[in-house]
Amino acid sequence: MRNIFIFIIFISMLFVSLSACQKEDEKLKGLVIESSSVEFGSLQNPEDRELHFRVQINDYGMESEQEYKVRFIIQDAHISDLIATEKIEVPETYKTQLLRNDEARTIVTGGSKEIKKDFTIDEIRKIIEKDEAVIIELYDKNRTIDREVVTTFAENIKPLVKVNPNAKLEHIKLKETNEIDIFSRAISDSNKEQGISYIAYPEYTFSLAEESYFLWVTENNGRIMNTKDTYTIYSLSDSSLKEVKEVIDKK
């Protein structure tokens, strides 16, 4: 009887131990991909207009001496169309490595792609955060080691101006040929401004062809901004400023 009791205790302890190991394995597995994100622009470079795909990996949740590669799979057609690819492969091959005292090694890696078509940040953010648009995978040949949906979007470049879409700006209707010519010339002759961190709320809007613009006009200067790119602003030439003001005064 005593031996049966000891056997039961042993079996119970074995199941508890196996359960603890399983939970620990699941915990470690969750630590392989610590975080992942899609980011627009760079805090270090205000001229950056690329999408950056980032992942932070913790070696401690993987097998010892495990070689693996990293890729981002673009599942959303709109995002893949913007960057003209459906997959981003990180060229490096990584190998798990434990540091002294069995400390984990953290790796941050990823890839970047130029945005090749018109876009809005709010639209990209909505797709990334809600539509399971991007998958990050760690893999070894045909075996997937870990994968997760990327749901974090970061905007590293803040727009120069944030306009309420419901705001009522004065819209300049260009009907006459000479007016269209003046505003077309104003756009083509404008110069990109550098180092601008903030701009006041725009006064006017106008449209040419399929594009729309914000317009600022004061006594001494004029500025324009494409409504699809609120991160860049252009200054009007002196001659264009004079002509544009004349058109506005007539309106």
Side-chain angles (χ1 to χ4, degrees), residues 26-35 55-58 61-62 68-71 135-140 143-149:
E26 291 175 355
K27 181 181 177 182
L28 291 177
K29 184 177 180 181
L31 290 176
V32 175
I33 297 177
E34 287 194 327
S35 63
V55 62
Q56 182 169 312
I57 302 164
N58 191 317
M62 300 175 68
Y68 63 94
K69 294 181 71 67
V70 179
R71 64 189 169 201
I135 299 288
I136 168 67
E137 285 190 344
L138 277 58
Y139 67 98
D140 175 25
R143 181 173 70 98
T144 300
I145 298 171
D146 199 5
R147 77 194 305 264
E148 73 173 26
V149 177

Side-chain angles (χ1 to χ4, degrees), residues 30-187:
L31 290 176
V32 175
I33 297 177
E34 287 194 327
S35 63
S36 58
S37 63
V38 176
E39 303 177 10
F40 170 70
S42 167
L43 295 174
Q44 292 74 33
N45 179 14
E47 301 300 317
D48 189 336
R49 295 293 186 275
E50 294 186 328
L51 279 185
H52 304 281
F53 298 78
R54 307 290 189 216
V55 62
Q56 182 169 312
I57 302 164
N58 191 317
D59 272 359
Y60 192 55
M62 300 175 68
E63 299 173 4
S64 178
E65 302 294 312
Q66 170 70 60
E67 288 191 351
Y68 63 94
K69 294 181 71 67
V70 179
R71 64 189 169 201
F72 295 83
I73 300 172
I74 317 301
Q75 299 192 128
D76 182 84
H78 180 68
I79 299 297
S80 62
D81 192 41
L82 285 180
I83 59 177
T85 187
E86 296 180 349
K87 187 184 297 183
I88 299 171
E89 295 271 3
V90 178
E92 292 84 359
T93 297
Y94 299 97
K95 188 174 184 179
T96 56
Q97 175 183 341
L98 293 180
L99 306 179
R100 289 179 300 176
N101 300 322
D102 288 340
E103 293 178 353
R105 180 182 64 160
T106 299
I107 295 173
V108 178
T109 187
S112 302
K113 287 293 180 179
E114 178 186 357
I115 301 176
K116 299 182 178 294
K117 294 189 175 182
D118 293 337
F119 68 96
T120 65
I121 289 300
D122 289 341
E123 183 178 33
I124 295 176
R125 181 192 304 278
K126 180 180 178 181
I127 293 173
I128 296 298
E129 292 181 346
K130 296 183 179 180
D131 294 347
E132 298 188 357
V134 180
I135 299 288
I136 168 67
E137 285 190 344
L138 277 58
Y139 67 98
D140 175 25
K141 298 179 181 178
N142 296 322
R143 181 173 70 98
T144 300
I145 298 171
D146 199 5
R147 77 194 305 264
E148 73 173 26
V149 177
V150 181
T151 58
T152 300
F153 179 79
E155 183 180 354
N156 291 329
I157 303 177
K158 298 302 179 184
L160 295 176
V161 60
K162 191 89 171 179
V163 178
N164 185 336
N166 298 320
K168 295 182 179 179
L169 304 180
E170 185 173 344
H171 185 71
I172 303 171
K173 295 182 179 180
L174 305 175
K175 297 181 179 180
E176 304 295 332
T177 302
N178 68 313
E179 295 175 349
I180 295 173
D181 291 341
I182 287 172
F183 277 72
S184 296
R185 187 162 53 249
I187 294 171

Side-chain angles (χ1 to χ4, degrees), residues 233-251:
I233 196 165
Y234 300 84
S235 59
L236 302 181
S237 66
D238 291 340
S239 59
S240 288
L241 173 61
K242 181 180 178 181
E243 292 179 326
V244 166
K245 287 176 63 178
E246 289 175 353
V247 172
I248 292 176
D249 290 341
K250 290 178 181 179
K251 299 289 183 181

